Amino acid sequence: MQGVNTETKPRSRHPSSLACLPCRRRHLKCDAAMPACSRCQSSRIECQYIRSKRGLRSKNKNHSPQLLDDDIPLFPDISTDALDWLDATVMPTDLEPNQSIFQALNTPQTLDLELPRLPDYTPTWTEPEHLTTPDVAFDPMIQLYYQNFHRSHPILIPRKALNTSLCRRIPAYMLSIMRYIGAHYHSDPSFKEVFRESAHVAMSETTPRDGFKVQGMLLLAIMTHAYCKEDRAHETMQATIQLSLDLGMNRASFAEQNSFGSSIFEESWRRTYWELYVVEGLLAAMRDQSTFRLYSQKADVSLPCDEESYNRSESLACCNQNLEDLRHNWSYGENQQIFSSFAYRVDTVRVLGMVLEINHSLEIDVQNKVETADASLAASLMHLPSSQHDVYGTASEEMTFQIQMIIYLGMIHLHHPRSNMRFACFHAETSCTRLRALCGETFVSADLDLHSQKLLRAANMLSNLATLPTPVRQRTPFFTCALAMCVIVHTAACLMAPVVDLEESLKARIQLGVGGLNVLGRVWPMAKMAKQQVVGMYQEVGLQRR
């Protein structure tokens, strides 16, 4: 046919898949010589090639097609809702601003780590060698761990440190735990099952009793809580705390003696102890306990350093600051010490412990203690340095977020038992909250008393945290319980809406809380369950008001 250009244009070539694994991992050009390339021969390392998957595409619509080596996508299932796993414009905190979460995205070899494919992969005590060395820092699941979870609970060594000899100190099961948690942020849910069994090796009685086991059990306790297994999470947490005390992690000497000569590991151990303190306090609040074990435990462990220095994997000097120093720092005037956001987070949990203790006190008159706790919670917000609010999406911002979350949770716990809103009669318990209503035959109030006003304001401020720029799905799993509490408080206030004329505002707050739970529910089962429960509460209140 005239006018038609029949000249065949050269097809653009993808990077060749004919390269050995060691060269791919290091992003080096490979001559693909058989049986070993020249680069591996000169380096005297084992040369391995990925077996071609050409012609093996699955025709079963119920399963994702197997990808050819040349077809490995940079962003799996990009055409589906799985885009949410990369919905953040935020860079990992341990990378420089101009670095991407996936190193050199224009080179598919980054994701060419031969990930185990279901159902052939069977987790064992140790992961296959190609998953432990030499490029752990570039493992996709571990990248997802650091991008999404590490900022919320920053106890493991920074991602940059994984690319050094320090990585050899980390047990295989710890890498499995990181992959297991990271898999929750992947678009393919099957990866969670791949790493679940090997991650739980940390719970085995045969696993060496050391600081790594404490870290592993702590992370698994958080995961267990996020899976709605509250009692098991509590038991795991108590066993973890007992192990940490048996090892002496509450003493400053432990960090130095078990640091392998590295200031990064030394800081990691300090962070581990204080993270135990924070997580136990949060779990105690969710269970409405009278106190928590580490609240009264003597410890001389220094408070953690700032997040920026830690994530840069610098040589870290111990700050030699303790909780008493922080508590009295407000009186130093212009000579105030500078504390890390992690340190302020620890102190807010201390005040939360004070609230729990007051709520279960057998004393007749606790009004003075209530006012003291109220003042301490407000002061914690006022004395938080403005420098802690700088950049959203950073590790410091996540710590500041949790500081505010814990303070508002403390205010809710303090004022709810003393407010007239507690008489709002509806089923107010969820899988992660224990606020109880005192159901009277009638609930009519002319206005909100002082405690109710403070309670409602705390719930408003807490729900506002869901509107910050950082994606909700990257927040700590404990934000699930915080949002559920907000919805409970706002639902109770709905029963008073005709009186206080807040109905429309409260509905918007409830929608915000339910929306946040919906987003978190894509990652954590507890959030999905809590969403169903709080929606049921709101519907119950709607029936009462008809």
Side-chain angles (χ1 to χ4, degrees):
M1 182 181 295
Q2 294 181 354
V4 177
N5 184 4
T6 59
E7 181 180 357
T8 303
K9 295 183 178 179
R11 295 179 59 186
S12 61
R13 288 179 54 88
H14 292 285
S16 173
S17 63
L18 194 57
C20 69
L21 285 176
C23 290
R24 288 189 179 203
R25 293 184 187 126
R26 292 179 288 175
H27 315 304
L28 300 175
K29 180 179 289 188
C30 180
D31 61 10
M34 298 291 184
C37 73
S38 58
R39 194 179 299 277
C40 288
Q41 289 180 0
S42 62
S43 301
R44 296 184 179 180
I45 60 176
E46 182 180 2
C47 187
Q48 296 178 331
Y49 291 89
I50 297 177
R51 181 182 177 183
S52 175
K53 304 298 186 301
R54 296 188 183 277
L56 296 181
R57 290 184 184 270
S58 173
K59 297 181 180 180
N60 189 342
K61 295 182 179 180
N62 296 327
H63 298 280
S64 301
Q66 293 191 24
L67 299 170
L68 305 183
D69 289 348
D70 287 350
D71 297 329
I72 295 177
L74 294 177
F75 305 108
D77 298 336
I78 197 166
S79 61
T80 69
D81 290 340
L83 267 175
D84 290 338
W85 76 291
L86 286 175
D87 61 354
T89 58
V90 179
M91 291 296 104
T93 56
D94 56 342
L95 297 178
E96 298 300 326
N98 61 347
Q99 287 184 279
S100 170
I101 177 62
F102 290 114
Q103 288 283 344
L105 284 180
N106 60 341
T107 56
Q109 291 91 331
T110 299
L111 293 183
D112 245 355
L113 294 180
E114 192 179 13
L115 286 176
R117 291 180 171 84
L118 291 174
D120 301 329
Y121 177 72
T122 303
T124 56
W125 170 273
T126 59
E127 298 289 352
E129 182 180 356
H130 66 267
L131 286 177
T132 57
T133 57
D135 293 324
V136 170
F138 302 111
D139 183 303
M141 297 303 168
I142 290 180
Q143 291 184 61
L144 289 173
Y145 170 86
Y146 279 96
Q147 181 188 21
N148 295 280
F149 189 86
H150 177 74
R151 283 178 296 205
S152 297
H153 304 281
I155 60 173
L156 304 186
I157 63 174
R159 183 180 167 220
K160 282 187 176 180
L162 290 180
N163 208 31
T164 70
S165 60
L166 295 181
C167 184
R168 301 172 186 169
R169 299 286 184 177
I170 302 176
Y173 66 80
M174 286 302 302
L175 300 177
S176 292
I177 290 175
M178 283 189 271
R179 293 188 181 101
Y180 173 53
I181 296 176
H184 285 74
Y185 300 93
H186 196 279
S187 57
D188 185 350
S190 63
F191 279 114
K192 291 183 287 190
E193 297 303 319
V194 169
F195 301 108
R196 183 192 303 274
E197 182 181 341
S198 54
H200 281 79
V201 166
M203 303 295 296
S204 172
E205 293 184 0
T206 60
T207 303
R209 292 168 56 86
D210 55 18
F212 291 113
K213 182 168 185 174
V214 172
Q215 289 181 332
M217 291 175 67
L218 171 56
L219 293 175
L220 290 176
I222 297 173
M223 296 296 291
T224 304
H225 174 74
Y227 270 79
C228 310
K229 299 175 182 178
E230 180 187 348
D231 291 338
R232 185 181 300 178
H234 174 72
E235 293 171 0
T236 301
M237 196 65 205
Q238 294 308 305
T240 307
I241 291 170
Q242 185 59 56
L243 175 58
S244 72
L245 296 178
D246 291 344
L247 295 173
M249 296 187 76
N250 59 318
R251 297 192 295 269
S253 57
F254 177 89
E256 182 178 358
Q257 293 171 1
N258 294 271
S259 66
F260 312 109
S262 166
S263 61
I264 296 175
F265 264 118
E266 190 174 340
E267 173 68 11
S268 176
W269 299 134
R270 289 193 291 267
R271 286 168 168 259
T272 300
Y273 177 80
W274 288 118
E275 191 69 17
L276 285 169
Y277 186 98
V278 170
V279 173
E280 190 196 9
L282 288 171
L283 288 176
M286 306 310 172
R287 294 170 59 88
D288 194 26
Q289 296 176 195
S290 59
T291 186
F292 57 97
R293 186 173 180 182
L294 294 183
Y295 177 71
S296 56
Q297 177 66 48
K298 292 183 178 180
D300 60 358
V301 184
S302 296
L303 292 170
C305 70
D306 68 277
E307 301 305 301
E308 184 178 357
S309 297
Y310 185 59
N311 285 312
R312 283 201 303 260
S313 298
E314 296 176 341
S315 179
L316 303 170
C318 180
C319 64
N320 293 321
Q321 298 168 321
N322 55 45
L323 269 180
E324 286 300 313
D325 294 332
L326 193 153
R327 289 179 62 187
H328 299 294
N329 192 46
W330 62 270
S331 61
Y332 294 165
E334 295 181 357
N335 296 321
Q336 283 187 323
Q337 299 182 61
I338 298 176
F339 289 83
S340 67
S341 52
F342 197 136
Y344 281 102
R345 174 169 166 258
V346 171
D347 190 56
T348 56
V349 174
R350 178 190 63 81
V351 181
L352 177 63
M354 183 193 308
V355 171
L356 297 178
E357 199 171 50
I358 292 171
N359 284 350
H360 291 82
S361 174
L362 296 178
E363 297 180 21
I364 297 176
D365 185 9
V366 294
Q367 186 57 33
N368 287 337
K369 292 184 177 180
V370 170
E371 293 175 358
T372 299
D374 191 25
S376 296
L377 288 166
S380 296
L381 280 175
M382 296 175 181
H383 288 290
L384 187 63
S386 58
S387 61
Q388 305 289 355
H389 298 272
D390 287 341
V391 182
Y392 290 106
T394 65
S396 293
E397 183 269 332
E398 174 62 28
M399 292 293 98
T400 303
F401 168 89
Q402 289 190 34
I403 290 169
Q404 296 176 76
M405 181 190 79
I406 295 166
I407 290 172
Y408 296 135
L409 281 173
M411 291 177 175
I412 290 174
H413 278 282
L414 181 66
H415 295 295
H416 180 267
R418 297 165 179 86
S419 71
N420 58 5
M421 284 175 60
R422 74 188 184 278
F423 294 105
C425 186
F426 64 99
H427 183 69
E429 285 193 25
T430 71
S431 53
C432 59
T433 61
R434 293 292 181 273
L435 294 185
R436 291 180 172 82
L438 303 176
C439 297
E441 294 183 3
T442 60
F443 176 62
V444 178
S445 176
D447 53 19
L448 295 172
D449 63 4
L450 180 60
H451 286 292
S452 293
Q453 293 179 37
K454 291 185 175 183
L455 172 64
L456 188 56
R457 174 172 170 75
N460 289 343
M461 298 301 291
L462 183 52
S463 65
N464 282 348
L465 296 179
T467 67
L468 295 177
T470 299
V472 171
R473 71 198 306 273
Q474 291 185 344
R475 299 301 188 185
T476 172
F478 290 109
F479 193 39
T480 293
C481 300
L483 288 175
M485 279 195 167
C486 290
V487 177
I488 291 175
V489 173
H490 290 134
T491 302
C494 273
L495 292 174
M496 302 177 70
V499 179
V500 298
D501 195 25
L502 290 173
E503 184 173 6
E504 290 305 315
S505 174
L506 291 170
K507 284 183 178 179
R509 294 284 183 181
I510 291 172
Q511 289 175 348
L512 175 61
V514 172
L517 290 173
N518 184 57
V519 173
L520 286 168
R522 300 171 190 171
V523 183
W524 309 117
M526 172 171 280
K528 186 179 296 184
M529 179 180 292
K531 175 194 169 184
Q532 296 172 351
Q533 292 169 331
V534 297
V535 169
M537 290 178 200
Y538 183 71
Q539 292 172 342
E540 177 187 341
V541 168
L543 292 173
Q544 290 185 36
R545 295 186 57 191
R546 287 181 180 176

